Every structure is written in structure tokens, then in C-alpha cells.
Amino acid sequence: MSSFFRFHERETSYKQETIAGLTTFLSMAYILIVNPIILSQAGMDKGAVFTATALSAIIGSLLIGLLSNYPIGIAPSMGLNSFFTFSVCIGMGIPWQTALTGVFVSGILFVILSLLKIREKIINIIPKDLKHAIAGGIGFFIAFIGLKNAGLIVGNEATFVAIGDFKSPVTLLAVFCFILTIVLMVRGVKGAIFYGMVISAAAGMLIGLIDKPEKIVGAIPSLEPTFGEVFLNIDQIFTPEMLAVIFTFLFVAFFDTAGALIAIASQAGLMKNNEIPNAGKALLADSSATVVGSVLGTSTTASMIESSSGIAAGGRTGFTSVIISACFAIALFFSPLLGVITAEVTSPALIIVGALMAMEVKHIDWGKLEIAIPAFVTILMMPLTFSVATGIALGFILYPITMLALKRPKEIHPIMYGLCIAFMGYFVYLA
């Protein structure tokens, strides 16, 4: 096992990988609660979605760990489950069964693109500075999510955002968790993020801020209400409306996953010569999980940016993903316990990991405007638009433009020009 996952080469151990897997799982566990809540608003059965969410995470995380040897967790994407429910089902009036078929078709297209190594090729031709910008931008983005979930940053009509209410007990719990984790990290405690979350959850229950679970073990809900519904609506996807939906699923998932993969590989020190080893296998695992998940009854899966918390805890190999998969399997039986992993407990981890990922910006050549401006826009627009894909798209548009302005077109791969035009078309479509 140690040889298969190359523990010696990546300077890791069973203990380090296990702690990393547990850390990532705790950071991702909210998806088991939130995904059923969001998709149920589209008319789907909560229990069936819970089981489908867990099973897709089990399969996806196991596949990416065994095929690519990356410490990444895969689960239904938070952005795409909201798009599925609020834009497609509620906004466009498309039944969830048909929308799920759209997810299935986009997943099949993903698998084909992965097998043909088109996705891998696109990721590897991204300029080095933009790769660092994507990694750093995702750091700012997840830190913003953490600040928002902790109540440290709130909405404000006059200024858009403002400082939160420090009289709120749950916000104070998040601050306690944040400071505790920082202290453990700067003192060099391995698995500091994991220990910080566990201690904070225990403290929250002790003082009554987090409800204690009424029971430990719960029955696994049936998949019957959602399983196989995708095959009953294939004939309904060949409409302009549904083709646009499929394209959006394809576009957002492609670049969300690409961004996460670049950020995670960079953070873990796995990127070599500006390329990500085994990227094709990682992308194949991700797209296969989307196909399986849609058949089971959940929206598009993606490589979770929360995986960076496990990497910060020491995860370096696919054994971390195996542990994540095992945790999701156990969670099927212990669903009542998941309620103690609240936003106040996980959000400080996201803030800290965001800081670690933001360190990638030091590798950007800030002395050159043709690089600095596209990189800056990529970083800034991820948190401001609440979308990794949008930040990447804007950077991909600006970078070729700045290089053309300097009459250096040959320094840009032809695929980058194609993506620049495609993204321009995408924004025209959105408008």
C-alpha cells in the first residue's frame, strides 16, 4: 500500500494521510446536509438525495485516489446544485427529472473529453502565471466563504459587505476556533486544522451553541425516488433551452474542476514543469462521478476546494482520498452525528487554508503589466462574483489581449485564443 501510493517519495505516512483524510471529510461533510436541502427545493426526495450524495462522494473520491494518486475529495458541487435548483428547475420551469438527464449528458461529454485528453491538454497549456493566479484566487474565494459562513462578514446595503456581529455567540465560537487553529499551526502541530475543528465542535456542544445529536446511528434512506430517472427523459434534452443548460453544466464544472485541480496540485507541490501529472486520470475520475451521481440522483460532482484543508494537514497521496471515501461510507450510517459539524466549526479552516493558498501569488511576475493585470482580475473576480469559473474566464480573455497588444502572439498557445473567443461568446450569451 505504501509503495502503491508512493509514501516515501512524497514524504508522508499512514498517520499523516489519515489525519488529512479526516480533515478534508470534516470540511466537506456539510454537503451531506446542504445538498439534500437545496435539491429538495426542486422537488427531489431529501432522503434519496442524501444517499446519492454520499455514494457519489464515495465513488468519486475512491476513483481519484486510486487512479491519479491525488489527495482530493469529490462530491456534488455547491455552485452547480444551486444552478440546478434555482436557475434550471425553478427559474426555467424544467422538471428535476429532465434537469438530472442534462447532468447525465454533460457527464458523458466530460468522460469523452477526458478520455481524449482534451481537458488535460487545456489545463497544461494554461500559462504558469495564470495557474498561480487561479490557485491564489481560489484561496481568497474560499477564505471569503469562510468569513461569510462564520458571520465575520455580512451583507450591507450601503457598502455591500461589512464586519459581522461580534456579540453573536456562534461568531465568537468561530473566532475561538480560528485562533485555536492558528496557535496549533504556528507551533507546528500536524493535523492542527482537524484538531481545531474537533475541539471547537466539542466546545460548542458543551456550552449549548451546537445541538447534541439525539441518536448516533440512523437508517440509510432509499434511493428509489431518484434512481435511474435520467434514462426516462433522454428524448426531452434536444431543445435549445436544455442544450443551453447542458452547456452551462459543462462549462462551469470544467473550469471549477480545472481551478481546483491546479490549486490543489500547486499547494501539495505536485506540479512539475508547469504540468499536472496524471491530470487526465483525475479528470476522468471526476467526470465518471458526475455520470454515476446523476444516475443515483444528485447534481454535478466536482473536485472540492475543501480538499485543500486536508493538504494543509499533510495529505500528499491518494490514500487521503481513500480515507475520505471511507468516511463518507461510515457517514451513511451515522448521519445524525453530522449535525455537529456546523459552519462555525468548518469556516475557520477555510479562512486559514485560503491564506495558505493565497501564498501562490508570490510566484506571479507582478513587474509585467501584461501578466499582472490578467492575474489580478482572475484573483479579484473569484470572490467578487462568487464563482471560480468566472474569474478564470476573465483572466483567459485578458491574457491573450495583453500579449497581442505587445505583439507577442506566438507566446500564447492557439487553444488559449480559442478559449478567449469561447469565453467572450459565453458572456454574450449570459447577457
Side-chain angles (χ1 to χ4, degrees):
M1 188 79 78
S2 174
S3 176
F4 178 82
F5 288 108
R6 296 152 63 185
F7 278 12
H8 179 71
E9 178 185 330
R10 298 190 182 178
E11 300 179 347
T12 187
S13 64
Y14 285 110
K15 179 183 177 181
Q16 187 170 312
E17 295 292 302
T18 301
I19 289 176
L22 288 168
T23 302
T24 298
F25 169 73
L26 289 177
S27 297
M28 290 171 58
Y30 71 89
I31 199 69
L32 290 169
I33 299 169
V34 177
N35 198 47
I37 291 173
I38 290 176
L39 295 188
S40 67
Q41 295 178 62
M44 299 180 71
D45 182 84
K46 270 188 186 179
V49 174
F50 169 83
T51 304
T53 300
L55 290 175
S56 62
I58 292 166
I59 294 166
S61 300
L62 194 61
L63 280 175
I64 201 167
L66 296 178
L67 291 178
S68 67
N69 201 24
Y70 278 121
I72 294 174
I74 290 178
S77 163
M78 272 299 292
L80 285 169
N81 61 11
S82 297
F83 174 75
F84 180 99
T85 296
F86 302 112
S87 296
V88 179
C89 296
I90 296 176
M92 300 170 69
I94 295 173
W96 65 263
Q97 295 91 337
T98 306
L100 212 54
T101 303
V103 173
F104 174 75
V105 172
S106 70
I108 294 292
L109 293 174
F110 265 141
V111 170
I112 295 170
L113 291 173
S114 299
L115 289 173
L116 295 175
K117 296 189 176 181
I118 294 173
R119 294 176 77 190
E120 182 178 7
K121 179 70 174 177
I122 290 173
I123 289 174
N124 285 333
I125 60 93
I126 297 172
K128 175 175 63 70
D129 292 283
L130 276 189
K131 277 194 171 85
H132 293 307
I134 290 168
I138 289 176
F140 283 101
F141 178 48
I142 66 172
F144 181 68
I145 292 173
L147 290 165
K148 172 180 171 291
N149 290 348
L152 292 168
I153 294 294
V154 296
N156 184 287
E157 288 186 7
T159 60
F160 290 105
V161 292
I163 195 73
D165 180 10
F166 279 87
K167 297 190 295 295
S168 168
V170 290
T171 300
L172 290 175
L173 176 63
V175 171
F176 164 75
C177 180
F178 180 61
I179 293 173
L180 171 66
T181 306
I182 289 174
V183 170
L184 292 173
M185 287 189 72
V186 297
R187 291 185 63 85
V189 177
K190 289 188 175 181
I193 293 175
F194 171 70
Y195 296 132
M197 285 193 288
V198 171
I199 293 170
S200 298
M205 287 188 286
L206 189 65
I207 61 179
L209 290 180
I210 298 175
D211 294 332
K212 296 176 182 177
E214 295 179 1
K215 56 182 180 178
I216 304 298
V217 181
I220 301 175
S222 171
L223 278 173
E224 187 178 355
T226 59
F227 183 77
E229 288 290 331
V230 295
F231 302 116
L232 304 178
N233 301 278
I234 295 290
D235 61 326
Q236 298 179 39
I237 64 168
F238 300 104
T239 64
E241 193 176 49
M242 273 306 297
L243 290 174
V245 168
I246 292 169
F247 171 78
T248 304
F249 280 134
L250 199 65
F251 167 79
V252 179
F254 187 111
F255 287 99
D256 269 353
T257 296
L261 192 60
I262 289 168
I264 290 164
S266 179
Q267 183 189 1
L270 301 175
M271 197 178 294
K272 298 177 181 178
N273 300 320
N274 198 38
E275 294 189 353
I276 303 173
N278 290 330
K281 292 179 180 179
L283 295 167
L284 180 61
D286 179 88
S287 51
S288 299
T290 291
V291 174
V292 173
S294 63
V295 173
L296 295 173
T298 186
S299 54
T300 308
T301 62
S303 298
M304 301 292 280
I305 53 177
E306 287 83 359
S307 303
S308 51
S309 63
I311 292 170
R316 292 295 178 270
T317 76
F319 192 74
T320 293
S321 300
V322 173
I323 296 298
I324 295 168
S325 182
C327 287
F328 273 105
I330 294 169
L332 277 169
F333 300 93
F334 294 90
S335 55
L337 281 176
L338 296 173
V340 306
I341 310 299
T342 62
E344 294 76 31
V345 172
T346 60
S347 54
L350 297 180
I351 300 168
I352 292 168
V353 170
L356 296 175
M357 294 176 69
M359 292 168 67
E360 284 292 317
V361 303
K362 68 183 179 184
H363 300 297
I364 298 170
D365 191 348
W366 293 106
K368 297 179 179 177
L369 278 178
E370 68 273 19
I371 291 171
I373 293 174
F376 176 74
V377 171
T378 299
I379 294 166
L380 184 67
M381 295 308 286
M382 285 186 188
L384 291 187
T385 64
F386 220 73
S387 169
V388 170
T390 300
I392 293 174
L394 292 170
F396 277 30
I397 290 172
L398 288 176
Y399 195 86
I401 290 174
T402 59
M403 298 305 283
L404 284 171
L406 288 175
K407 299 180 180 180
R408 291 159 55 186
K410 293 182 180 179
E411 294 182 28
I412 301 293
H413 196 284
I415 291 177
M416 284 293 292
Y417 289 114
L419 289 172
C420 175
I421 294 169
F423 285 130
M424 287 179 178
Y426 176 72
F427 284 117
V428 169
Y429 164 75
L430 286 182

